[in-house]
Amino acid sequence: MDSLTGILAVVLALSMPVAIVAIVFYFRHKGRTEVQKTLRMAIEKGTDLPPEFLENLKNMQARKTPANDIRSGLILIAIALGLVALDLANHSFILGKLSGVAAIPGFIGVALLILGIIGNRKK
């Protein structure tokens, strides 16, 4: 019974991120479908669309900005530092196995931070 519990825990832990991403994509798709339906109905009725609606329609697509890169980079660096702190608390040393895993989001965060800073300078 213990091995079944362990297998179930691993399967659930690995399927949770997939489920979260699927839910996010589903609701994003549903929202875009509703906007398209509203546009279609407005065009069929021949009504004029308010400029605010058209402006919001342009802003619906998330634009990648240097500020987003900096924010994402800082979040990933914080996650990496949290994993290093957890490794330090559990094993009383910093360069353990968990610190090696923490290097992955840490280096990605540093890269995003550099990209954000370079993007800000180009503006």
Side-chain angles (χ1 to χ4, degrees):
M1 190 68 176
D2 288 332
S3 64
L4 181 63
T5 305
I7 291 172
L8 186 63
V10 169
V11 168
L12 287 176
L14 293 177
S15 64
M16 188 62 65
V18 174
I20 291 171
V21 169
I23 290 170
V24 168
F25 278 123
Y26 170 75
F27 282 110
R28 185 180 298 164
H29 172 72
K30 187 176 178 182
R32 288 181 181 168
T33 304
E34 291 294 322
V35 169
Q36 289 175 1
K37 186 187 292 184
T38 303
L39 277 173
R40 193 175 303 123
M41 288 175 55
I43 291 171
E44 287 174 358
K45 290 182 179 182
T47 59
D48 291 332
L49 297 172
E52 297 87 21
F53 180 77
L54 296 175
E55 188 65 33
N56 286 338
L57 194 61
K58 288 179 186 176
N59 292 333
M60 265 183 71
Q61 294 182 353
R63 294 194 179 108
K64 190 129 175 96
T65 63
N68 289 345
D69 285 340
I70 292 173
R71 180 175 180 228
S72 299
L74 289 175
I75 289 170
L76 286 171
I77 291 170
I79 290 171
L81 291 175
L83 290 172
V84 169
L86 182 66
D87 194 28
L88 178 65
N90 285 338
H91 303 292
S92 298
F93 55 88
I94 292 180
L95 299 175
K97 293 179 184 177
L98 197 56
S99 293
V101 172
I104 297 170
F107 284 126
I108 294 172
V110 169
L112 285 172
L113 194 61
I114 291 170
L115 285 173
I117 291 170
I118 290 172
N120 273 342
R121 286 186 183 169
K122 286 185 179 179
K123 278 188 166 185

